[in-house]
Amino acid sequence: MNSELLNIILPTLVAAISAPIGAWVGSVLQRQKYKAEIAAMRADIDSKLAGVKSTELDNVRKANDLLVESIVTPLKKEINNLRRDVDKFRKAVEKIPSCAYADSCPVSRQLQKYENDDRRDADGTDKK
């Protein structure tokens, strides 16, 4: 009877101990598997985010190049043309006093009128 009892209790005891240990070992292995999967997913997300940031930076560079090409460059050309025109005009105006017809010059009178108008507009008073 002792051996029969031992034959019944021992397998039951082994089963009672091995089931929780097996479940615990299984859960540890599952947790490690999930942690590895999560780490792989995080690495994949990080690489995709880096790709997105790189694409965004490329888009910003392209937009900047387009802005320079379509706006800044033509404006620079126009400013340079205006500077040349103003220089030509300045040289012509500087020659007015030495001109024999300076007293009756309509261009000189018009420029003086503009100058007087600009002075009045600057502070609202007449500075003739």
Side-chain angles (χ1 to χ4, degrees):
M1 191 152 149
N2 225 358
S3 71
E4 285 179 22
L5 190 59
L6 191 60
N7 284 340
I8 293 174
I9 294 178
L10 189 59
T12 306
L13 185 62
V14 168
I17 293 174
S18 67
I21 291 175
W24 178 76
V25 168
S27 69
V28 167
L29 293 175
Q30 281 290 83
R31 190 176 325 133
Q32 288 175 353
K33 175 186 168 192
Y34 291 144
K35 284 182 181 180
E37 288 177 5
I38 289 172
M41 288 178 184
R42 284 186 178 149
D44 186 42
I45 288 172
D46 289 342
S47 70
K48 287 181 181 181
L49 285 176
V52 167
K53 288 180 182 179
S54 175
T55 302
E56 286 177 359
L57 186 57
D58 287 343
N59 288 343
V60 168
R61 285 182 184 145
K62 288 176 184 176
N64 187 38
D65 291 345
L66 182 64
L67 179 69
V68 167
E69 181 182 317
S70 64
I71 296 174
V72 175
T73 302
L75 284 176
K76 283 182 178 180
K77 289 178 183 177
E78 184 66 24
I79 288 170
N80 287 334
N81 289 338
L82 287 172
R83 284 181 181 154
R84 279 193 294 273
D85 291 345
V86 168
D87 286 341
K88 290 176 188 177
F89 181 72
R90 184 180 301 122
K91 288 176 184 175
V93 169
E94 288 172 353
K95 292 181 180 180
I96 290 175
S98 64
C99 179
Y101 304 103
D103 294 335
S104 62
C105 180
V107 175
S108 178
R109 272 187 270 135
Q110 188 66 39
L111 289 173
Q112 287 175 351
K113 181 182 178 221
Y114 288 150
E115 186 177 327
N116 290 335
D117 289 346
D118 288 345
R119 286 183 189 159
R120 263 189 249 127
D121 289 344
D123 61 350
T125 62
D126 188 7
K127 291 187 174 183
K128 282 187 179 180

Coordinates of all heavy atoms in Angstrom, one line a residue, residues 20-90:
P20 N 3.4 24.7 -12.7 CA 3.7 26.1 -12.5 C 5.1 26.5 -13.0 O 5.3 27.6 -13.6 CB 3.6 26.4 -11.0 CG 2.8 25.2 -10.5 CD 3.1 24.1 -11.5
I21 N 6.1 25.6 -12.8 CA 7.5 25.9 -13.3 C 7.5 26.0 -14.8 O 8.1 26.9 -15.4 CB 8.5 24.9 -12.7 CG1 8.6 25.0 -11.2 CG2 9.8 25.0 -13.4 CD1 9.5 24.0 -10.6
G22 N 6.8 25.1 -15.4 CA 6.7 25.1 -16.9 C 6.0 26.3 -17.4 O 6.5 27.0 -18.4
A23 N 5.0 26.7 -16.7 CA 4.3 27.9 -17.1 C 5.1 29.2 -16.9 O 5.2 30.1 -17.8 CB 3.0 28.1 -16.3
W24 N 5.9 29.2 -15.8 CA 6.8 30.3 -15.5 C 7.9 30.4 -16.6 O 8.2 31.4 -17.1 CB 7.4 30.2 -14.1 CG 8.3 31.3 -13.8 CD1 8.1 32.5 -13.5 CD2 9.8 31.1 -13.8 NE1 9.2 33.2 -13.3 CE2 10.3 32.4 -13.5 CE3 10.6 30.1 -14.1 CZ2 11.6 32.6 -13.4 CZ3 12.0 30.3 -14.0 CH2 12.5 31.6 -13.6
V25 N 8.5 29.2 -16.9 CA 9.6 29.2 -17.9 C 9.0 29.6 -19.3 O 9.6 30.4 -20.0 CB 10.2 27.8 -18.0 CG1 11.1 27.6 -19.2 CG2 11.0 27.5 -16.7
G26 N 7.8 29.1 -19.6 CA 7.2 29.5 -20.9 C 6.9 31.0 -20.9 O 7.1 31.7 -22.0
S27 N 6.5 31.6 -19.8 CA 6.2 33.0 -19.8 C 7.5 33.8 -19.9 O 7.5 34.9 -20.6 CB 5.4 33.4 -18.6 OG 6.2 33.3 -17.4
V28 N 8.6 33.4 -19.3 CA 9.9 34.1 -19.4 C 10.3 34.0 -20.9 O 10.8 35.1 -21.4 CB 10.9 33.4 -18.5 CG1 12.3 33.9 -18.8 CG2 10.6 33.7 -17.0
L29 N 10.2 32.9 -21.5 CA 10.6 32.8 -22.9 C 9.7 33.6 -23.8 O 10.3 34.3 -24.7 CB 10.6 31.3 -23.3 CG 11.6 30.4 -22.7 CD1 11.4 28.9 -23.1 CD2 13.0 30.8 -23.0
Q30 N 8.4 33.6 -23.6 CA 7.5 34.5 -24.3 C 7.9 35.9 -24.2 O 7.9 36.7 -25.1 CB 6.1 34.2 -23.9 CG 5.5 33.0 -24.5 CD 5.2 33.1 -26.0 OE1 6.1 32.9 -26.7 NE2 4.0 33.5 -26.4
R31 N 8.2 36.4 -22.9 CA 8.5 37.7 -22.6 C 9.8 38.1 -23.4 O 9.9 39.2 -24.0 CB 8.7 37.9 -21.1 CG 8.8 39.4 -20.8 CD 8.9 39.6 -19.3 NE 8.1 38.7 -18.5 CZ 8.6 38.1 -17.4 NH1 9.8 38.3 -17.0 NH2 7.8 37.3 -16.7
Q32 N 10.8 37.3 -23.4 CA 12.0 37.5 -24.1 C 11.7 37.7 -25.6 O 12.3 38.5 -26.3 CB 13.1 36.5 -23.8 CG 13.6 36.5 -22.5 CD 14.6 35.4 -22.2 OE1 14.7 34.4 -23.0 NE2 15.2 35.4 -21.0
K33 N 10.9 36.8 -26.1 CA 10.5 36.8 -27.5 C 9.8 38.1 -27.9 O 10.2 38.8 -28.9 CB 9.6 35.6 -27.9 CG 9.1 35.6 -29.3 CD 8.1 34.5 -29.5 CE 7.3 34.7 -30.8 NZ 6.2 33.8 -30.9
Y34 N 8.9 38.6 -27.0 CA 8.2 39.8 -27.3 C 9.1 41.0 -27.2 O 9.0 42.0 -27.9 CB 7.0 39.9 -26.3 CG 5.9 39.0 -26.6 CD1 5.1 38.4 -25.6 CD2 5.5 38.6 -27.9 CE1 4.1 37.5 -25.8 CE2 4.5 37.7 -28.2 CZ 3.8 37.1 -27.1 OH 2.8 36.3 -27.4
K35 N 10.0 41.0 -26.2 CA 11.0 42.1 -26.0 C 11.8 42.2 -27.3 O 12.1 43.3 -27.7 CB 11.8 41.9 -24.8 CG 11.1 42.2 -23.5 CD 12.1 42.1 -22.3 CE 11.3 42.4 -21.0 NZ 12.2 42.2 -19.9
A36 N 12.3 41.1 -27.8 CA 13.1 41.1 -29.1 C 12.3 41.6 -30.2 O 12.8 42.4 -31.0 CB 13.6 39.7 -29.4
E37 N 11.0 41.2 -30.3 CA 10.1 41.7 -31.4 C 9.9 43.3 -31.2 O 10.0 44.0 -32.2 CB 8.8 41.0 -31.4 CG 8.8 39.6 -31.9 CD 7.5 38.9 -31.8 OE1 6.5 39.5 -31.5 OE2 7.4 37.7 -32.1
I38 N 9.7 43.7 -30.0 CA 9.5 45.1 -29.8 C 10.8 45.9 -30.1 O 10.7 47.0 -30.7 CB 9.1 45.4 -28.3 CG1 7.7 44.9 -28.1 CG2 9.2 46.8 -27.9 CD1 7.2 44.9 -26.7
A39 N 11.9 45.4 -29.7 CA 13.2 46.0 -30.1 C 13.4 46.1 -31.6 O 13.8 47.2 -32.1 CB 14.4 45.3 -29.4
A40 N 13.0 45.1 -32.3 CA 13.1 45.1 -33.8 C 12.2 46.1 -34.3 O 12.5 46.9 -35.3 CB 12.9 43.7 -34.3
M41 N 11.0 46.2 -33.8 CA 10.0 47.2 -34.3 C 10.5 48.6 -34.0 O 10.3 49.5 -34.9 CB 8.6 46.9 -33.6 CG 7.9 45.7 -34.1 SD 6.3 45.6 -33.2 CE 5.7 44.0 -33.9
R42 N 11.0 48.8 -32.8 CA 11.5 50.2 -32.5 C 12.7 50.6 -33.4 O 12.8 51.7 -33.9 CB 12.0 50.2 -31.1 CG 10.8 50.3 -30.1 CD 11.3 50.5 -28.7 NE 10.1 50.6 -27.8 CZ 10.1 50.2 -26.6 NH1 11.1 49.7 -26.0 NH2 9.0 50.3 -25.9
A43 N 13.6 49.6 -33.7 CA 14.7 49.9 -34.7 C 14.1 50.2 -36.0 O 14.6 51.1 -36.7 CB 15.6 48.7 -34.7
D44 N 13.1 49.5 -36.5 CA 12.5 49.7 -37.8 C 11.8 51.1 -37.8 O 12.0 51.9 -38.8 CB 11.4 48.7 -38.1 CG 10.8 48.8 -39.4 OD1 11.6 49.0 -40.4 OD2 9.6 48.6 -39.6
I45 N 11.1 51.5 -36.7 CA 10.5 52.8 -36.6 C 11.5 53.9 -36.6 O 11.4 54.9 -37.3 CB 9.6 52.9 -35.4 CG1 8.4 52.1 -35.6 CG2 9.2 54.4 -35.1 CD1 7.5 51.9 -34.3
D46 N 12.6 53.7 -35.9 CA 13.7 54.7 -35.9 C 14.3 54.9 -37.3 O 14.6 56.0 -37.7 CB 14.8 54.3 -34.9 CG 14.3 54.4 -33.4 OD1 13.3 55.1 -33.2 OD2 15.0 53.8 -32.5
S47 N 14.5 53.8 -38.0 CA 15.1 54.0 -39.3 C 14.1 54.6 -40.3 O 14.5 55.5 -41.1 CB 15.5 52.6 -39.9 OG 14.4 51.8 -40.2
K48 N 12.8 54.4 -40.1 CA 11.8 55.0 -41.0 C 11.7 56.5 -40.6 O 11.6 57.3 -41.5 CB 10.5 54.3 -40.8 CG 10.4 53.0 -41.5 CD 9.1 52.3 -41.4 CE 9.1 51.0 -42.1 NZ 7.9 50.3 -42.1
L49 N 11.8 56.8 -39.3 CA 11.8 58.2 -38.9 C 13.0 59.0 -39.5 O 12.9 60.1 -39.9 CB 11.7 58.4 -37.4 CG 10.4 58.1 -36.7 CD1 10.5 58.1 -35.2 CD2 9.3 59.0 -37.2
A50 N 14.1 58.3 -39.5 CA 15.3 59.0 -40.0 C 15.1 59.2 -41.5 O 15.5 60.2 -42.1 CB 16.5 58.1 -39.8
G51 N 14.5 58.2 -42.2 CA 14.2 58.4 -43.6 C 13.3 59.6 -43.9 O 13.4 60.3 -44.8
V52 N 12.3 59.7 -43.0 CA 11.3 60.8 -43.2 C 12.0 62.1 -42.9 O 11.8 63.1 -43.7 CB 10.1 60.6 -42.2 CG1 9.3 61.8 -42.1 CG2 9.3 59.4 -42.6
K53 N 12.8 62.2 -41.9 CA 13.5 63.4 -41.6 C 14.4 63.8 -42.8 O 14.5 65.0 -43.2 CB 14.3 63.3 -40.3 CG 13.4 63.4 -39.1 CD 14.2 63.2 -37.8 CE 13.3 63.2 -36.6 NZ 14.0 63.1 -35.4
S54 N 15.1 62.8 -43.4 CA 16.0 63.1 -44.5 C 15.1 63.6 -45.7 O 15.5 64.5 -46.4 CB 16.7 61.8 -44.9 OG 17.4 62.0 -46.1
T55 N 14.0 63.0 -45.9 CA 13.1 63.4 -47.0 C 12.6 64.8 -46.8 O 12.6 65.6 -47.7 CB 11.9 62.4 -47.2 OG1 12.4 61.1 -47.4 CG2 11.0 62.8 -48.3
E56 N 12.2 65.1 -45.5 CA 11.8 66.5 -45.2 C 12.9 67.5 -45.5 O 12.7 68.6 -46.0 CB 11.4 66.6 -43.7 CG 10.0 65.9 -43.4 CD 9.7 66.0 -42.0 OE1 10.5 66.5 -41.2 OE2 8.6 65.5 -41.6
L57 N 14.1 67.2 -45.1 CA 15.3 68.0 -45.3 C 15.5 68.2 -46.8 O 15.8 69.4 -47.2 CB 16.5 67.5 -44.6 CG 17.8 68.3 -44.6 CD1 17.5 69.7 -44.0 CD2 18.9 67.6 -43.9
D58 N 15.4 67.2 -47.5 CA 15.5 67.3 -49.0 C 14.5 68.2 -49.6 O 14.7 69.0 -50.5 CB 15.5 65.9 -49.7 CG 16.8 65.1 -49.4 OD1 17.8 65.7 -49.1 OD2 16.7 63.9 -49.6
N59 N 13.2 68.1 -49.1 CA 12.1 68.9 -49.6 C 12.4 70.4 -49.2 O 12.1 71.3 -50.1 CB 10.8 68.4 -49.0 CG 10.3 67.1 -49.6 OD1 10.8 66.7 -50.7 ND2 9.4 66.5 -48.9
V60 N 12.9 70.6 -48.0 CA 13.2 72.0 -47.7 C 14.3 72.6 -48.5 O 14.2 73.7 -49.0 CB 13.6 72.1 -46.2 CG1 14.2 73.4 -45.8 CG2 12.4 71.8 -45.3
R61 N 15.3 71.8 -48.8 CA 16.4 72.3 -49.7 C 15.9 72.6 -51.1 O 16.2 73.6 -51.7 CB 17.5 71.2 -49.8 CG 18.3 71.1 -48.5 CD 19.4 70.1 -48.7 NE 20.2 70.0 -47.4 CZ 20.7 68.9 -47.0 NH1 20.6 67.8 -47.6 NH2 21.4 68.9 -45.8
K62 N 15.0 71.7 -51.6 CA 14.5 71.9 -52.9 C 13.6 73.1 -53.0 O 13.6 73.9 -53.9 CB 13.6 70.6 -53.4 CG 14.5 69.4 -53.7 CD 13.6 68.2 -54.1 CE 14.5 67.0 -54.3 NZ 13.7 65.8 -54.5
A63 N 12.8 73.3 -51.9 CA 11.9 74.5 -51.9 C 12.8 75.8 -51.8 O 12.5 76.8 -52.4 CB 11.0 74.4 -50.7
N64 N 13.9 75.7 -51.0 CA 14.8 76.9 -50.9 C 15.4 77.1 -52.3 O 15.5 78.3 -52.7 CB 15.8 76.6 -49.9 CG 16.7 77.8 -49.6 OD1 16.2 78.9 -49.6 ND2 18.0 77.6 -49.4
D65 N 15.9 76.1 -53.0 CA 16.5 76.3 -54.3 C 15.5 76.9 -55.3 O 15.8 77.8 -56.1 CB 17.0 75.0 -54.8 CG 18.2 74.5 -54.1 OD1 18.8 75.2 -53.3 OD2 18.6 73.3 -54.2
L66 N 14.2 76.4 -55.2 CA 13.2 76.9 -56.1 C 12.9 78.4 -55.8 O 12.8 79.2 -56.7 CB 11.9 76.1 -55.9 CG 10.7 76.5 -56.8 CD1 11.1 76.2 -58.3 CD2 9.5 75.6 -56.4
L67 N 12.9 78.7 -54.5 CA 12.7 80.1 -54.1 C 13.8 81.0 -54.6 O 13.5 82.1 -55.2 CB 12.6 80.2 -52.6 CG 12.4 81.6 -52.0 CD1 11.0 82.1 -52.3 CD2 12.6 81.5 -50.5
V68 N 15.0 80.6 -54.4 CA 16.2 81.4 -54.9 C 16.1 81.5 -56.4 O 16.3 82.6 -57.0 CB 17.5 80.7 -54.5 CG1 18.7 81.3 -55.2 CG2 17.7 80.8 -53.0
E69 N 15.8 80.4 -57.1 CA 15.8 80.4 -58.6 C 14.7 81.3 -59.1 O 14.9 82.0 -60.1 CB 15.6 79.0 -59.1 CG 15.6 78.9 -60.6 CD 15.4 77.4 -61.0 OE1 16.0 76.5 -60.4 OE2 14.6 77.2 -61.9
S70 N 13.5 81.2 -58.5 CA 12.3 81.9 -59.1 C 12.1 83.3 -58.6 O 11.4 84.1 -59.2 CB 11.1 81.1 -58.9 OG 10.8 81.0 -57.5
I71 N 12.7 83.6 -57.4 CA 12.4 84.9 -56.8 C 13.7 85.7 -56.6 O 13.8 86.9 -57.0 CB 11.6 84.8 -55.5 CG1 10.2 84.2 -55.8 CG2 11.5 86.1 -54.8 CD1 9.4 83.9 -54.6
V72 N 14.6 85.2 -55.9 CA 15.8 85.9 -55.4 C 16.7 86.3 -56.6 O 17.1 87.4 -56.7 CB 16.6 85.1 -54.4 CG1 17.9 85.8 -54.0 CG2 15.8 84.9 -53.1
T73 N 16.9 85.3 -57.5 CA 17.8 85.6 -58.6 C 17.2 86.7 -59.5 O 18.0 87.7 -59.9 CB 18.1 84.3 -59.4 OG1 18.7 83.4 -58.5 CG2 19.0 84.6 -60.6
P74 N 15.9 86.7 -59.9 CA 15.4 87.8 -60.7 C 15.4 89.1 -60.0 O 15.7 90.1 -60.6 CB 14.0 87.3 -61.0 CG 14.0 85.9 -60.9 CD 15.0 85.5 -59.8
L75 N 15.2 89.1 -58.7 CA 15.2 90.3 -57.9 C 16.6 90.9 -57.9 O 16.8 92.1 -58.0 CB 14.7 90.1 -56.5 CG 13.2 90.0 -56.3 CD1 12.9 89.7 -54.9 CD2 12.5 91.2 -56.8
K76 N 17.6 90.0 -57.8 CA 19.0 90.5 -57.8 C 19.3 91.2 -59.1 O 20.0 92.2 -59.2 CB 20.0 89.4 -57.5 CG 20.1 89.0 -56.1 CD 21.1 87.9 -55.9 CE 21.3 87.5 -54.5 NZ 22.3 86.4 -54.3
K77 N 18.9 90.5 -60.2 CA 19.1 91.1 -61.6 C 18.4 92.5 -61.7 O 19.0 93.4 -62.2 CB 18.6 90.2 -62.6 CG 19.4 88.9 -62.8 CD 18.9 88.0 -63.9 CE 19.7 86.7 -64.0 NZ 19.1 85.8 -65.0
E78 N 17.2 92.5 -61.2 CA 16.4 93.8 -61.3 C 17.1 94.9 -60.4 O 17.2 96.0 -60.8 CB 15.0 93.6 -60.8 CG 14.1 94.8 -60.9 CD 13.9 95.2 -62.3 OE1 14.0 94.4 -63.2 OE2 13.6 96.4 -62.5
I79 N 17.6 94.5 -59.3 CA 18.3 95.5 -58.4 C 19.6 96.0 -59.1 O 19.8 97.2 -59.1 CB 18.6 94.9 -57.0 CG1 17.3 94.7 -56.2 CG2 19.6 95.7 -56.2 CD1 17.5 93.9 -54.9
N80 N 20.3 95.1 -59.7 CA 21.5 95.5 -60.4 C 21.2 96.4 -61.6 O 21.9 97.4 -61.8 CB 22.3 94.3 -60.9 CG 23.0 93.6 -59.7 OD1 23.3 94.2 -58.7 ND2 23.2 92.3 -59.9
N81 N 20.1 96.1 -62.3 CA 19.7 97.0 -63.4 C 19.3 98.4 -62.9 O 19.6 99.4 -63.5 CB 18.5 96.4 -64.2 CG 18.9 95.2 -65.0 OD1 20.1 95.1 -65.3 ND2 18.0 94.3 -65.3
L82 N 18.5 98.4 -61.8 CA 18.1 99.7 -61.2 C 19.4 100.5 -60.7 O 19.4 101.7 -60.9 CB 17.2 99.4 -60.0 CG 15.8 99.0 -60.4 CD1 15.0 98.6 -59.2 CD2 15.0 100.1 -61.2
R83 N 20.3 99.8 -60.1 CA 21.5 100.5 -59.7 C 22.3 101.2 -60.9 O 22.7 102.3 -60.8 CB 22.5 99.6 -59.0 CG 22.0 99.2 -57.6 CD 23.0 98.3 -56.9 NE 22.6 98.0 -55.6 CZ 22.9 96.9 -54.9 NH1 23.7 96.0 -55.5 NH2 22.4 96.7 -53.7
R84 N 22.4 100.4 -62.0 CA 23.0 101.0 -63.2 C 22.2 102.2 -63.7 O 22.8 103.2 -64.0 CB 23.1 99.9 -64.3 CG 24.3 99.0 -64.1 CD 24.6 98.2 -65.3 NE 23.5 97.2 -65.6 CZ 23.4 96.0 -65.1 NH1 24.3 95.6 -64.3 NH2 22.4 95.2 -65.5
D85 N 20.9 102.1 -63.7 CA 20.1 103.2 -64.2 C 20.2 104.4 -63.3 O 20.3 105.6 -63.7 CB 18.6 102.8 -64.3 CG 18.3 101.8 -65.4 OD1 19.2 101.7 -66.3 OD2 17.2 101.2 -65.4
V86 N 20.2 104.2 -62.0 CA 20.4 105.3 -61.0 C 21.8 105.9 -61.2 O 21.9 107.2 -61.1 CB 20.2 104.8 -59.5 CG1 20.6 105.8 -58.5 CG2 18.7 104.5 -59.3
D87 N 22.8 105.1 -61.4 CA 24.1 105.7 -61.6 C 24.2 106.6 -62.9 O 24.7 107.7 -62.9 CB 25.2 104.6 -61.7 CG 25.5 103.9 -60.4 OD1 25.2 104.6 -59.3 OD2 26.1 102.8 -60.4
K88 N 23.5 106.1 -63.9 CA 23.5 106.9 -65.2 C 22.7 108.2 -64.9 O 23.2 109.3 -65.3 CB 22.7 106.1 -66.3 CG 23.5 104.9 -66.8 CD 22.6 104.2 -67.8 CE 23.3 102.9 -68.3 NZ 22.4 102.2 -69.2
F89 N 21.6 108.1 -64.2 CA 20.8 109.3 -63.9 C 21.6 110.3 -63.0 O 21.6 111.5 -63.3 CB 19.5 108.9 -63.2 CG 18.6 110.0 -62.9 CD1 17.9 110.7 -63.9 CD2 18.4 110.4 -61.6 CE1 17.1 111.7 -63.6 CE2 17.6 111.4 -61.2 CZ 16.9 112.1 -62.2
R90 N 22.3 109.7 -62.0 CA 23.1 110.6 -61.1 C 24.2 111.3 -61.9 O 24.4 112.5 -61.7 CB 23.7 109.8 -60.0 CG 24.5 110.6 -59.0 CD 25.1 109.8 -57.9 NE 24.1 109.0 -57.2 CZ 24.1 107.7 -57.0 NH1 25.0 107.0 -57.5 NH2 23.1 107.1 -56.3

